[in-house]
Amino acid sequence: MLFNGISFLVNPSDKVGLVGSNGAGKSTLLKTIAGEASVDSGTISKPKEFKVGYLPQELPLHDGKTVWEEAETSLSEIKELQSSIDDINHQLTTRTDYESEAYLKLIEDLNTFTERFNLVGGYTYHAALEKILQGLGFKPDDFHRQTREFSGGWRMRIELAKLLLAKHDVLLLDEPTNHLDINSIIWLESFLRDYEGAIIMVSHDRTFLDNITKRTVEIVNGKVYDYPVPYSKFVALREERRTLQMQEQKNQEKEIKHTEELIEKFRYKASKAAFAQNLIKKLDKMERIEIDDDDSRKINFRFPPAPRSGKVALQAQKLGKSYGPKRIFSKVNLEVNRGEKIAFVGQNGQGKSTLVKIIAENLDHEGQIELGHNVEFGYYAQEQAKTLNGDITLLQTIEDAAPEDLRKRARDFLGGFLFSGEDVDKKVKVLSGGEKGRLALCKLLLFPHNLLIMDEPTNHLDLKSKDMLKNALQQYDGTLIVVSHDRHFLQGLADKIFEFKDGEVRPFLGNIDEYLEARKLEDFRQLEKSTELAKEKKPEPQKVDDGLSYAERKQLDKDLRKAEKEVQSLESSIEQLEAKLANLDQKLHDPAAFKELSKEADFYEKYEADKSKLEQMMLNWEKAQEKFHALERKKP
């Protein structure tokens, strides 16, 4: 059972982050809302003409069309309306039965279709499509190129463009930042922040969630918990909830133990038998408090010791690669020494995955590349999970891949990646994206490698799994080449950087923090943003002023402090009122306390008034948050 009896409401323009461990049911829940999977019980209700847009984790990629043509496939309603309008216009010019009902019906239909055509953007969709494609990084020259000419990350953008162009009432986004470079993430953040419809989004990118969502819904142990806050604040509130659960569980265990002792004491006494039976029924009906154990489960693994290799693990000279007339990179010289941990960074389409494929898959290329003495490499591809056989079980997957002496330990390997008990007998095809990623990592452990080549290994992995993978790679004593856009993952892991940019591959001797410090930037987001701004900004002899006078800056700072104080005050009041209502709810379940409360003549009126007050405070808090962020954006 993934989830049972869950209920929540999504309002127009809500921005919701859906979180939980891999396999908790996040993607399944999005599929059911999108209508691509059925529910066993319960209902999903939405307005009749409601349009739902769904971006799954694993995208169906289409060939045979240009970028523009593929993006236009999302405009089926506009195309159908255009066809109907053209057909009616043709009939109106060729028919002569001007007074007939059929002719008048054609005129009526033409007015209806034309009005709808205008409403859905039929006259402006060319401009909208161009704006979205350029926003996602496509140049006008790319519009008429075949989709197959683009890397996975760029083809993901085409699917995003199709989704964003269609103007849905609600967007369901399952890991939308996977395969996207930082420049794309910045644009997408901006677009989704201003999106008029509702958004329900699964993402393991903390910054992305914080910048877009104002509400967090967590799935854990088959239940949902709804928090009216962004992800970072949710983490703190979740810890408070788990602490409270642990305390409640302790109290319940004491109550259960005391009740069992009473049952044992009275069950064999005739005068107390009925009392004992009542206690037994009470225990049977008691809903046992569960701790959210999923939060504490962690992957537990280490890579096998790396066999000794030569001093130089990999050497490349004058490497080049082109796809047709498009030159990816040229004259790349690269030397990787034993024990180095190297990160490839840069925008999508600059050749990071291409160079990895040249090394690992012997992709056709110019120049020479040579592995060092006694080098045995393990390769984790960007779409590694797709190479798994979906029709066999997890246990079969590991047993088939493992050398003979390790097959008996297949269950132990799977256990280290949180697959235990009946999980190992599941078919691979029923796993979530994150679970498939963990299984692919498990396969990588079966053989000792002294060179690991990993292309976006954190895609689909939840935050705990990312941390465990990073920890294992830090302890790994071999050589590592990793492609990633995740700064937090690379911190403390990569000690050498290769930057892919404008057809060149430039080395940077140092770790990711030194790389960022050298450019006086805080993170990759600012790196990509500054590149974009540098192209647009014209050189000026004088420093550009932000347009605010001293008095205006002073007033803005004052307004910001006031808005922040209002938010904090409301949060404090909400916490106090929630605690008060929670305490009353607990008393209402206690017969003795309930009896006492019922004696107060206006108790229920006060109780309902407090609940209404809490709802109003929540609305006020949301408005205060919006006001604060609006002021924050004005700050230079």
Side-chain angles (χ1 to χ4, degrees), residues 592-604:
F594 174 74
K595 190 175 180 182
E596 285 298 315
L597 289 172
S598 300
K599 291 177 182 177
E600 296 179 29
D602 58 348
F603 166 73
Y604 288 106

Side-chain angles (χ1 to χ4, degrees), residues 112-174:
T112 302
F113 291 153
T114 303
E115 187 178 339
R116 179 65 184 169
F117 187 75
N118 184 43
L119 187 67
V120 296
Y123 296 111
T124 59
Y125 83 86
H126 279 90
L129 178 51
E130 187 173 340
K131 180 183 175 183
I132 288 172
L133 286 175
Q134 288 189 332
L136 286 169
F138 290 97
K139 298 173 183 174
D141 294 343
D142 296 328
F143 295 170
H144 304 293
R145 287 172 57 195
Q146 290 290 315
T147 58
R148 64 173 177 270
E149 296 177 29
F150 292 86
S151 66
W154 286 95
R155 297 184 75 172
M156 169 85 169
R157 300 179 198 203
I158 299 172
E159 298 301 318
L160 263 175
K162 288 161 65 174
L163 194 70
L164 302 179
L165 184 66
K167 295 183 180 177
H168 296 97
D169 297 289
V170 63
L171 288 178
L172 308 174
L173 306 175
D174 198 351

Side-chain angles (χ1 to χ4, degrees), residues 253-458:
E253 284 170 355
K254 284 180 185 177
E255 185 185 350
I256 290 169
K257 187 179 178 183
H258 178 62
T259 306
E260 287 173 341
E261 286 172 354
L262 288 175
I263 292 169
E264 197 61 33
K265 184 177 178 181
F266 297 127
R267 72 191 308 168
Y268 301 114
K269 294 182 180 180
S271 62
K272 299 287 186 180
F275 177 61
Q277 284 300 316
N278 285 335
L279 290 176
I280 290 169
K281 287 177 184 176
K282 179 186 174 184
L283 271 187
D284 289 341
K285 289 180 181 177
M286 187 180 291
E287 188 175 338
R288 305 300 165 103
I289 294 168
E290 293 182 4
I291 307 298
D292 300 337
D293 291 327
D294 283 358
D295 290 340
S296 58
R297 290 175 64 203
K298 291 181 179 178
I299 291 178
N300 180 25
F301 76 98
R302 291 182 68 172
F303 287 98
R308 185 77 173 173
S309 69
K311 184 182 177 183
V312 177
L314 174 76
Q315 193 166 42
Q317 291 182 327
K318 296 183 178 178
L319 275 188
K321 180 63 183 174
S322 300
Y323 287 105
K326 183 172 175 60
R327 169 65 64 173
I328 306 300
F329 52 72
S330 58
K331 295 181 181 179
V332 173
N333 296 314
L334 182 72
E335 183 173 288
V336 179
N337 294 317
R338 181 181 64 232
E340 284 185 324
K341 289 183 169 64
I342 291 172
F344 287 174
V345 301
Q347 289 184 322
N348 283 342
Q350 294 294 325
K352 303 183 301 297
S353 294
T354 300
L355 183 50
V356 161
K357 286 178 181 176
I358 289 172
I359 299 168
E361 299 179 4
N362 199 26
L363 187 69
D364 184 46
H365 62 277
E366 302 163 11
Q368 295 181 330
I369 189 162
E370 187 178 353
L371 291 176
H373 174 67
N374 200 35
V375 168
E376 295 288 337
F377 69 82
Y379 175 42
Y380 186 98
Q382 193 173 121
E383 298 296 336
Q384 185 72 28
K386 289 185 179 179
T387 65
L388 299 169
N389 183 347
D391 294 320
I392 63 174
T393 66
L394 280 67
L395 188 60
Q396 284 176 285
T397 300
I398 299 304
E399 285 179 340
D400 290 351
E404 192 171 345
D405 59 325
L406 290 181
R407 282 176 193 162
K408 292 179 182 178
R409 294 182 55 206
R411 287 179 183 272
D412 294 337
F413 278 101
L414 286 166
F417 284 84
L418 308 185
F419 300 117
S420 57
E422 295 177 358
D423 289 343
V424 303
D425 296 317
K426 287 180 181 177
K427 292 281 181 72
V428 172
K429 62 186 174 187
V430 306
L431 299 181
S432 70
E435 288 173 318
K436 286 178 182 176
R438 296 207 310 258
L439 184 60
L441 281 173
C442 185
K443 280 183 71 176
L444 200 60
L445 257 68
L446 298 175
F447 295 90
H449 305 290
N450 47 29
L451 172 60
L452 284 178
I453 303 168
M454 311 189 84
D455 192 357
E456 296 288 2
T458 60

